[in-house]
Amino acid sequence: MNIEQRTQEIGRSIHTAVAGEVPSLFDRKRWMGRLMEWAMEDPGFKTRLFRFIDVLPSLNTDELVVRLLREYFGGDPRIPLLIRRGLERIAGGRVMPAVAALAVRKGVETLARQFIAGRGPEKALNALRSLENEGAQASVDLLGEAVLSDSEAQDYAARYVHLLSLLGNGRRDRAEVSLKVSSFYSQIDPVDWEGSIRATMEGLRPVFETAQRTGTAITLDMEHYHIKDLTLAIFRSLCREFPDVSCGVALQAYLKDARRDLDELLRFTKAGDRRIAVRLVKGAYWDYENVTGRQKGWPIPVFLNKDETDRNFEDLTRVLLGNTHLVHSAIATHNIRSLSHAISVSEHLGISPDAFEFQMLYGMAEPIRGVLLKKGFRMRVYTPVGELIPCMAYLVRRLLENTSGESFLRRSFFERSPVEVLLRPPVPVEPRKNGSILSETFVNEPPLDFSIAENRQRMEEALLRVKDNRDRRCPLIIDGREVSTEREIVSVNPARPEEVIGRVSSASGKEASEALAGARKAWALWSKVPAGERAGHLFRAAERLRQRRFELAAIEVLEVGKTWQDADADVTEAIDYLEYYGREMIRLGKGLRLGDIPGEENEYVYRPRGVGVVISPWNFPLAIPAGMVSAAVVAGNCVVFKPSGVSPVTGSFLCRAFKEAGLPPGVLQFLPGPGGEAGEYLVAHPDVDFIAFTGSRDVGLRIVRLAAETHEGQRNVKKVVAEMGGKNAIIVDETADLDEAVKGVLESALGFQGQKCSACSRVIVVGSVAGTFVRRLREAMASVRIGPTEEPGNSMGPVVDRDALLRIRGYITLGELEGRLIYRRDAGDKGFFVGPVIIGDVAVDSRVAQEEIFGPVLAVIEARDMDEAIRAANSTSYELTGGIYSRSPDSILKARMSFRAGNLYINRKITGAMVGRQPFGGAGMSGIGSKAGGPDYLLQFMNPRCVSENTLRRGFVPEQQEQ
Ligand code: NAD
């Protein structure tokens, strides 16, 4: 009998043995089973149910529970009935919030207890004992909150040490724990490969030392793909350092890489003469991998078709069972087909049932577990232990898994699919191509994946090259000519101000006037170049930026102090603008025919405005000017571009890319110079038709004023597009997921040292959540690594120059007067470093809550309820970005309706808008203009024109032509 025939035979025998049994979750006679049934029948209900279950444990008043119950299920005939019945029984007909809340909490707790063995290790002992009595063993996993700080990581390690001491107390045979490496180092990130390995090892050391002492085994769970290779590297280091600890790692069959990783692990065991354990799972983060892969434009690491995963699982099973001398394998699945296949392979290879084990999840597939135990197989049950709130993510994952259409358990126990369908061998599908699609529709440029070693290495090399080239000189470009001036801007590294990045020529009025004349001359021709051809220049310039992306990112790291990821994000955003506006111009260039009345023809087209000035800031030194310049140029205008004096070297590379893309001389002039001098001269010049500015409010308003003045001979009223500052707030309410909120506020407030116009500088905390939120935020801030960003372990670098440093320090002093200093961190006195600061008890109208600081200073404002929070958020004259962390549908709706922000973000950080997906820009004092990276942006650089012709001549009307 071959492997497949035997698989079918075993499968059928297991299937027969479990026939008639129903795992409790699918038992329609119980309320849990009924809920699951509704969830499976109605996806909308499922979403609401799972979201409600997720938020429930963090609601700390009964009123809140009842309010959310109403918000999620108000009007749903199913849930109120169920709860009403329960309530009637408890409260004799009187529905009180406390009683209703208790009933609901009890229900969800029962549901959680289905999958989670107890609140703490001690509480789980009973469950472990009963597993033992069944003949099974356990692998205990401590569930916890996301680890966001060093202190949380230390707490986690202490909990594991305690667990291991308890398990290893001589009572349990071959006890095992499972853990996630990301819980042991809060700043873990593959970009800092060596540093992450070192710090995670440090966090894990006490745990492994205890395991060694107590003879307990440890398996590293596998988490998101992004840290998969790092996890494997940490695993190898642990194996080397702790040869006596029985150490294992999980392998996810849904990953296309899994086979390669397994081969690598086998080589590692052979070379090190050390047995390891491997737990083969299918993988629990499929949605996450699929979504983040698509969002980032990275190749999707998981198989898209479930059969491919199942087949890979079988392939990997064969490899694992063929290597039992090197690897102790755990086949972790509830799928009868997959486990029958494993048994069949083991028989075929003549392996004793002792040489490997099966694993299943606590609370799932109990009937199948029973059959395997009866057949004499070794069984380990993955047993999570923990408090209710941190367990919710796990619980919802399990519920999703069980109710998903592809769930084997659902198909076998709920839908009762025929046995031949359940046991059918997985059908391999043609591998999908994941290559880039050269499409007419715009797609964002994928960021660099720094978990890939080659990318890290190329970035290191680029940094070295940029640093070596200290004598870099960047001339002006006027009418295609390079012009060097005596006066120079010396651009320095803000982390080490003595380090020069480049010397850039600096224009005076004379050069500015020549540049304008050059632009005017070029415009005569450029304005007549067809839209598609103009767009071609943008696409070619984008290609140049792509080719130079490492060098450009390295320059930004050194010139303005961005982290590797932020610098790379600025380069990809620049590429995005070029690609997006190019396509937009092709669309708009087609013009429109308006109306379909016979006898007239109305043509609606766009014409360029003329000669414009682009003035940009330093904080997105490539992307922002790339956006403004490319929009103006592709619309048929000629441009004089004045970069910020703080980031002129990066700016010069943009002009270089356009030049290399073949942009005709004169279409784009590069004119760095002092803002108050060259900038003002250009703005006030009568031969300028429009100004595109991004920068601070004061300068923006001054430009608006200057531009409004008309001069002798001026042909146009100057159009001003001005994107200005912000004083952005995030609201965190009592229903928020604090793991997410702390992380999101931290990233939004400290990303690029708070120097993003979209940065969060006010956090408005609603009700009782303030204490916990601020404590966790403070600890998380204390764990952020500060230092020169050329070292990838530092996620906070310097602020951009001495002026910025002094201004921010001034605001910190003011904050201490206006509020209460909650947290401040010293960042040394070398370079322009400022540590993060939190100021509490801030009044809504105080200066630190009203003025843009543009640094890592966060004001905390407390509000009683959502209405007060939104009033506080809306209390400044700015209107740029805003955010809310909440799981209350009503609060989210309220924010959608009345939170004043050009870009409002719900349950995510408020920085990092993507071109084409989150067009960016504000209203109020944050700007006049249509959103950058959006469908209205180019219109600002053109004049619409309508030509109407009477086509009726002597009673004859030509036939209308299709457009
Ligand atoms: P800034 O206003 O000091 O400078 C911006 C540009 O204006 C620079 O090129 C500067 O040289 C020039 N300039 C200065 N004075 C001038 C004058 N009198 N006439 C003409 N030009 C003049 O801003 P910054 O420090 O470079 O950038 C930070 C500011 O930019 C923050 O306020 C931030 O919020 C804002 N910003 C806004 C957006 C947005 O999209 N809304 C994006 C990025 C930055």
Side-chain angles (χ1 to χ4, degrees):
M1 195 181 288
N2 67 21
I3 292 181
E4 181 53 36
Q5 286 163 341
R6 182 67 186 134
T7 301
Q8 294 291 332
E9 195 176 272
I10 300 166
R12 279 173 193 274
S13 83
I14 300 177
H15 188 263
T16 312
V18 299
E21 289 200 57
V22 189
S24 38
L25 194 67
F26 294 113
D27 187 352
R28 290 182 174 94
K29 289 202 258 349
R30 300 169 59 180
W31 65 265
M32 211 149 58
R34 281 226 302 287
L35 268 188
M36 290 306 115
E37 185 177 359
W38 291 336
M40 285 185 271
E41 281 166 357
D42 175 354
F45 179 79
K46 175 164 153 179
T47 306
R48 279 181 288 139
L49 177 68
F50 289 4
R51 287 187 171 177
F52 179 74
I53 291 174
D54 171 48
V55 67
L56 181 75
S58 52
L59 304 177
N60 49 19
T61 66
D62 296 335
E63 282 71 22
L64 212 49
V65 174
V66 173
R67 196 186 100 197
L68 261 78
L69 201 56
R70 184 179 42 72
E71 288 181 22
Y72 276 96
F73 301 108
D76 190 310
R78 291 166 288 202
I79 279 292
L81 189 73
L82 191 80
I83 289 171
R84 220 178 307 129
R85 280 204 193 130
L87 292 171
E88 279 160 10
R89 228 171 290 143
I90 298 171
R94 276 182 56 234
V95 181
M96 307 278 291
V99 182
L102 183 73
V104 173
R105 281 206 177 99
K106 277 257 161 288
V108 170
E109 204 165 327
T110 315
L111 199 58
R113 290 294 154 246
Q114 170 75 29
F115 299 107
I116 295 147
R119 297 211 142 173
E122 282 87 357
K123 299 257 166 58
L125 285 179
N126 273 345
L128 298 184
R129 220 164 280 134
S130 75
L131 283 177
E132 251 174 30
N133 293 342
E134 249 184 77
Q137 291 161 330
S139 184
V140 182
D141 169 40
L142 284 184
L143 295 174
E145 289 169 331
V147 164
L148 303 174
S149 63
D150 292 346
S151 58
E152 287 176 355
Q154 280 156 13
D155 288 351
Y156 221 100
R159 287 176 58 210
Y160 263 102
V161 167
H162 173 66
L163 170 70
L164 284 167
S165 319
L166 204 72
L167 291 180
N169 255 348
R171 298 181 29 257
R172 233 155 287 278
D173 171 38
R174 291 171 39 78
E176 183 191 302
V177 302
S178 293
L179 52 82
K180 297 182 177 50
V181 293
S182 69
S183 306
F184 293 83
Y185 177 45
S186 65
Q187 311 294 305
I188 192 167
D189 190 331
V191 74
D192 177 26
W193 190 263
E194 297 302 331
S196 292
I197 295 177
R198 211 178 317 117
T200 311
M201 290 288 290
E202 214 168 284
L204 281 167
R205 208 157 277 128
V207 178
F208 271 72
E209 281 163 1
T210 317
Q212 190 160 325
R213 221 179 36 251
T214 55
T216 319
I218 297 184
T219 296
L220 307 190
D221 278 331
M222 213 28 110
E223 304 172 66
H224 302 148
Y225 183 70
H226 195 56
I227 60 166
K228 187 258 298 171
D229 285 342
L230 192 58
T231 307
L232 288 170
I234 292 169
F235 171 73
R236 290 191 294 268
S237 297
L238 288 165
C239 287
R240 281 188 213 106
E241 187 172 328
F242 296 96
D244 302 332
V245 176
S246 157
C247 192
V249 66
L251 200 68
Q252 297 156 318
Y254 67 11
L255 290 184
K256 295 171 187 166
D257 289 357
R259 175 61 199 264
R260 207 182 59 207
D261 290 338
L262 177 55
D263 290 345
E264 184 67 44
L265 283 169
L266 292 173
R267 272 197 295 278
F268 171 74
T269 51
K270 264 189 219 149
D273 193 22
R274 186 208 195 285
R275 241 173 101 77
I276 59 166
V278 170
R279 173 193 300 149
L280 180 62
V281 301
K282 291 202 178 157
Y285 303 91
W286 191 88
D287 274 354
Y288 177 91
E289 301 299 358
N290 199 20
V291 167
T292 43
R294 279 173 205 274
Q295 280 178 348
K296 294 205 171 205
W298 287 345
I300 311 286
V302 291
F303 291 115
L304 297 179
N305 180 294
K306 180 72 168 38
D307 269 25
E308 289 177 86
T309 298
D310 287 343
R311 199 172 86 119
N312 199 30
F313 191 89
E314 295 190 0
D315 291 348
L316 296 167
T317 302
R318 279 195 294 276
V319 179
L320 279 169
L321 295 181
N323 283 284
T324 42
H325 57 296
L326 297 171
V327 181
H328 176 78
S329 307
I331 309 296
T333 176
H334 306 124
N335 182 318
I336 298 179
R337 157 82 208 181
S338 306
L339 50 90
S340 305
H341 170 263
I343 298 171
S344 167
V345 170
S346 74
E347 288 175 359
H348 181 78
L349 295 172
I351 302 168
S352 91
D354 240 19
F356 66 102
E357 65 184 37
F358 285 107
Q359 286 195 15
M360 292 189 183
L361 296 177
Y362 185 82
M364 281 172 70
E366 299 94 331
I368 304 176
R369 182 168 92 202
V371 174
L372 288 187
L373 277 166
K374 239 186 254 152
K375 283 184 185 281
F377 288 102
R378 286 173 47 181
M379 169 69 61
R380 192 179 295 276
V381 177
Y382 186 92
T383 310
V385 168
E387 289 293 334
L388 216 47
I389 297 183
C391 287
M392 283 302 118
Y394 178 84
L395 172 63
V396 169
R397 256 209 320 274
R398 292 290 82 85
L399 291 176
L400 275 171
E401 194 172 294
N402 276 289
T403 52
S404 121
E406 284 174 335
S407 153
F408 183 85
L409 296 180
R410 168 178 170 164
R411 288 192 290 131
S412 44
F413 291 109
F414 183 75
E415 290 166 0
R416 299 278 171 199
S417 299
V419 64
E420 51 281 4
V421 175
L422 293 171
L423 296 179
R424 169 182 70 71
V427 185
V429 184
E430 276 295 293
R432 234 163 297 245
K433 287 200 179 64
N434 239 329
S436 74
I437 323 142
L438 196 81
S439 68
E440 276 185 24
T441 46
F442 165 77
V443 273
N444 298 98
E445 182 69 18
L448 286 176
D449 179 352
F450 286 114
S451 72
I452 297 173
E454 188 199 337
N455 287 343
R456 293 194 300 274
Q457 196 189 334
R458 288 182 70 183
M459 191 67 192
E460 303 266 7
E461 288 163 4
L463 282 162
L464 285 178
R465 268 201 312 277
V466 173
K467 283 169 80 118
D468 275 353
N469 192 0
R470 299 237 171 117
D471 297 328
R472 177 181 293 107
R473 283 200 145 68
C474 310
L476 315 177
I477 302 178
I478 298 175
D479 204 7
R481 285 174 297 118
E482 295 192 346
V483 178
S484 298
T485 62
E486 218 156 275
R487 186 168 65 166
E488 280 181 335
I489 303 169
V490 181
S491 183
V492 299
N493 177 354
R496 297 188 190 91
E498 65 284 359
E499 216 174 278
V500 173
I501 304 302
R503 291 169 202 279
V504 182
S505 288
S506 172
S508 63
K510 174 176 161 287
E511 287 87 17
S513 144
E514 285 171 12
L516 283 173
R520 181 61 65 189
K521 193 173 78 193
W523 190 58
L525 282 179
W526 182 245
S527 59
K528 296 191 180 63
V529 172
E533 213 174 292
R534 296 197 304 256
H537 287 284
L538 267 56
F539 301 145
R540 282 193 297 280
E543 200 42 49
R544 304 306 296 192
L545 297 185
R546 253 181 225 113
Q547 286 161 2
R548 287 234 168 89
R549 66 184 298 176
F550 286 95
E551 184 184 5
L552 288 164
I555 290 175
E556 293 198 28
V557 168
L558 296 167
E559 189 172 40
V560 294
K562 290 210 180 228
T563 57
W564 291 18
Q565 296 97 322
D566 272 353
D568 175 61
D570 194 51
V571 179
T572 54
E573 191 179 341
I575 295 170
D576 282 353
Y577 280 126
L578 295 165
E579 295 283 353
Y580 180 78
Y581 292 147
R583 284 171 177 74
E584 278 295 289
M585 193 59 232
I586 291 172
R587 174 177 71 85
L588 293 167
K590 290 184 183 134
L592 289 174
R593 178 121 20 103
L594 299 179
D596 59 353
I597 307 293
E600 64 177 43
E601 211 179 86
N602 304 305
E603 191 193 31
Y604 195 78
V605 291
Y606 296 99
R607 288 285 159 84
R609 284 182 177 270
V611 168
V613 174
V614 167
I615 300 179
S616 63
W618 48 265
N619 65 338
F620 290 90
L622 192 69
I624 288 184
M628 294 192 287
V629 164
S630 64
V633 161
V634 82
N637 304 288
C638 292
V639 168
V640 178
F641 160 44
K642 193 205 87 57
S644 161
V646 187
S647 57
V649 175
T650 312
S652 76
F653 273 79
L654 176 66
C655 294
R656 216 155 112 179
F658 270 111
K659 195 171 169 196
E660 289 167 357
L663 196 70
V667 176
L668 173 62
Q669 336 279 333
F670 179 55
L671 204 80
E677 200 185 318
E680 287 211 10
Y681 180 89
L682 290 169
V683 168
H685 200 284
D687 205 25
V688 165
D689 300 306
F690 66 92
I691 297 137
F693 166 82
T694 306
S696 62
R697 181 182 62 179
D698 291 350
V699 174
L701 294 181
R702 182 164 171 76
I703 287 176
V704 169
R705 239 183 357 259
L706 285 176
E709 268 176 43
T710 47
H711 302 274
E712 191 64 35
Q714 189 171 323
R715 282 180 300 259
N716 277 310
V717 178
K718 291 172 192 165
K719 164 93 178 174
V720 180
V721 177
E723 303 294 343
M724 304 184 286
K727 184 71 192 173
N728 314 304
I730 295 182
I731 298 177
V732 178
D733 82 0
E734 289 155 303
T735 66
D737 177 338
L738 286 193
D739 283 353
E740 294 287 325
V742 171
K743 192 163 161 274
V745 169
L746 190 83
E747 282 180 25
S748 307
L750 301 192
F752 193 31
Q753 297 74 264
Q755 301 172 114
K756 298 183 184 178
C757 47
S758 49
C760 170
S761 62
R762 296 178 295 153
V763 60
I764 303 167
V765 199
V766 181
S768 58
V769 73
T772 319
F773 173 78
V774 173
R775 179 185 51 75
R776 289 193 72 192
L777 184 68
R778 209 171 91 178
E779 284 168 7
M781 272 194 183
S783 310
V784 168
R785 309 294 188 251
I786 306 177
T789 46
E790 57 198 275
E791 292 160 27
N794 294 324
S795 53
M796 255 188 96
V799 296
V800 80
D801 60 13
R802 185 171 304 283
D803 287 352
L805 182 75
L806 298 177
R807 189 191 62 244
I808 296 164
R809 282 189 185 152
Y811 273 108
I812 297 171
T813 311
L814 178 69
E816 283 176 283
L817 293 174
E818 287 187 327
R820 177 174 56 90
L821 189 68
I822 294 181
Y823 179 71
R824 177 176 191 167
R825 179 137 155 237
D826 187 28
D829 51 7
K830 290 206 188 72
F832 307 132
F833 289 94
V834 190
V837 171
I838 307 178
I839 298 167
D841 296 342
V842 170
V844 168
D845 57 355
S846 59
R847 283 183 57 202
V848 282
Q850 289 287 324
E851 295 174 13
E852 185 181 49
I853 301 174
F854 225 54
V857 181
L858 183 66
V860 180
I861 298 169
E862 295 191 25
R864 271 192 302 273
D865 55 25
M866 187 50 65
D867 291 322
E868 194 177 307
I870 291 180
R871 269 199 305 279
N874 290 346
S875 70
T876 77
S877 57
Y878 291 108
E879 199 175 327
L880 194 52
T881 64
I884 173 170
Y885 279 91
S886 170
R887 285 176 286 186
S888 149
D890 281 9
S891 298
I892 292 175
L893 185 65
K894 221 173 241 178
R896 274 181 187 274
M897 305 298 287
S898 49
F899 194 142
R900 282 177 49 226
N903 288 68
L904 179 68
Y905 296 96
I906 299 165
N907 290 325
R908 53 152 284 180
K909 64 175 181 171
I910 65 171
T911 54
M914 301 292 287
V915 170
R917 277 155 56 194
Q918 291 112 19
F920 184 80
M925 284 296 166
S926 291
I928 36 167
S930 311
K931 292 190 170 300
D936 303 324
Y937 192 73
L938 285 192
L939 300 179
Q940 306 175 109
F941 298 90
M942 298 184 281
N943 289 316
R945 183 176 140 98
C946 184
V947 179
S948 300
E949 183 179 348
N950 172 10
T951 55
L952 183 71
R953 289 194 200 167
R954 303 246 173 243
F956 167 70
V957 189
E959 262 175 50
Q960 287 265 1
Q961 304 247 316
E962 284 288 309
Q963 271 207 47

